[in-house]
Amino acid sequence: PFLMMPEAVSAEEASLRACLDAPMLFTKRHSYQGIHIYDTYYQWWPGGGIYILENPSASTSEFRIRPVIDPNTPETLGEGMYTDPDISPDATRILFCFKGEKDGPTSIYEIGLDGKGLRQLTFPMRCESNPGRYANHHDVCPAYMPDGRIVFKSTRPNGLVPCNNTGVDIMHVMDADGGNMRVISVNNVNEFDPCVLPDGRILHGRWECVDKGALTQQSLWTIFPDGTNETALYANNMVRPEAILDARPVPGHPHLIAGTLARHNATPRG
């Protein structure tokens, strides 16, 4: 149960809330305690789940929050870390990630927004040959593509971050059922938060340290779904802030992108 106190809302805030005219999907979790933006899937702070706020324009005391999946829903994966939800184009299903053990892998799942039809799409395994600190594979940040496939990031290529000895996750694609998986990037360090632009290109963050410093270029790039034409889009030489995370196109404004400006050596917030 939630205990909500009465709130005082300014006219400006009331005007902004009125723009929230559709339900809002969100993840409830503990704050990450890692020291880098690229090692969040090694954390173990179980709890929470994925929920829908049915009436985001209402006052907090009137919020109606419905769980899609958490440890107490009829279809559940139990206690663990639920992350990275992405809504299907027809707004009936979501992709998300789940890690159920402290030293276990992170897998991609799909479930209906009604909390039914849970299914596992990826089955990452332990890589015994990986000399890094963490040997499990992690499949993270899935997003639906217009042709029905799914783009996501994975540590399956077994690369290691040179300065941290943790896994390198780069972009992959797979069929809707998890089959026909293949990598579409050749990056030697991590990539971030893929999503699809209105013109079909995949927008993503890319840690770019070729002929540059190691810390300060996690800028925005685009790539075609077949892995060709990877191109810098914005901030390829920007030093501060060090990273742009969670980048998404702004609906109805084809030349605008929203994102989170964050640090490199810090938790992924900003």
Side-chain angles (χ1 to χ4, degrees), residues 209-232:
C209 61
V210 177
D211 297 326
K212 297 180 180 180
L215 298 180
T216 55
Q217 279 82 25
Q218 284 95 48
S219 54
L220 295 181
W221 289 62
T222 61
I223 191 172
F224 287 179
D226 64 358
T228 61
N229 205 41
E230 190 163 38
T231 305

Side-chain angles (χ1 to χ4, degrees), residues 32-156:
Y32 290 128
Q33 305 299 317
I35 62 170
H36 299 96
I37 60 174
Y38 54 80
D39 62 3
T40 57
Y41 38 76
Y42 297 123
Q43 302 300 312
W44 181 244
W45 302 95
I50 299 174
Y51 303 83
I52 292 176
L53 174 56
E54 300 282 8
N55 55 338
S57 63
S59 64
T60 55
S61 61
E62 298 174 339
F63 278 174
R64 298 193 307 273
I65 298 174
R66 174 174 64 84
V68 177
I69 184 169
D70 69 11
N72 300 311
T73 51
E75 296 192 39
T76 183
L77 296 167
E79 193 79 9
M81 297 183 67
Y82 295 84
T83 58
D84 301 333
D86 184 72
I87 304 176
S88 65
D90 62 1
T92 62
R93 296 160 290 136
I94 64 167
L95 298 168
F96 69 95
C97 298
F98 178 76
K99 178 180 175 180
E101 300 176 352
K102 179 179 179 179
D103 297 318
T106 304
S107 302
I108 296 173
Y109 294 79
E110 185 179 54
I111 193 171
L113 280 175
D114 59 0
K116 299 177 181 179
L118 176 65
R119 62 173 183 155
Q120 185 171 353
L121 299 182
T122 70
F123 298 83
M125 300 178 64
R126 184 173 180 84
C127 178
E128 300 294 345
S129 63
N130 191 325
R133 287 188 285 157
Y134 307 96
N136 280 309
H137 285 154
H138 299 271
D139 298 330
V140 295
C141 294
Y144 290 101
M145 298 172 64
D147 62 4
R149 293 183 299 161
I150 295 166
V151 58
F152 67 102
K153 301 188 308 168
S154 180
T155 61
R156 292 170 185 259

Side-chain angles (χ1 to χ4, degrees), residues 142-209:
Y144 290 101
M145 298 172 64
D147 62 4
R149 293 183 299 161
I150 295 166
V151 58
F152 67 102
K153 301 188 308 168
S154 180
T155 61
R156 292 170 185 259
N158 297 325
L160 294 174
V161 174
C163 62
N164 196 41
N165 211 26
T166 52
V168 169
D169 57 74
I170 57 177
M171 287 188 299
H172 292 60
V173 295
M174 63 181 176
D175 292 342
D177 62 359
N180 197 27
M181 187 181 297
R182 69 184 186 90
V183 64
I184 60 171
S185 174
V186 294
N187 201 0
N188 69 313
V189 281
N190 301 60
E191 295 172 333
F192 305 93
D193 309 316
C195 71
V196 179
L197 292 171
D199 62 9
R201 290 177 297 164
I202 296 171
L203 173 69
H204 63 101
R206 187 175 191 270
W207 185 1
E208 171 66 16
C209 61

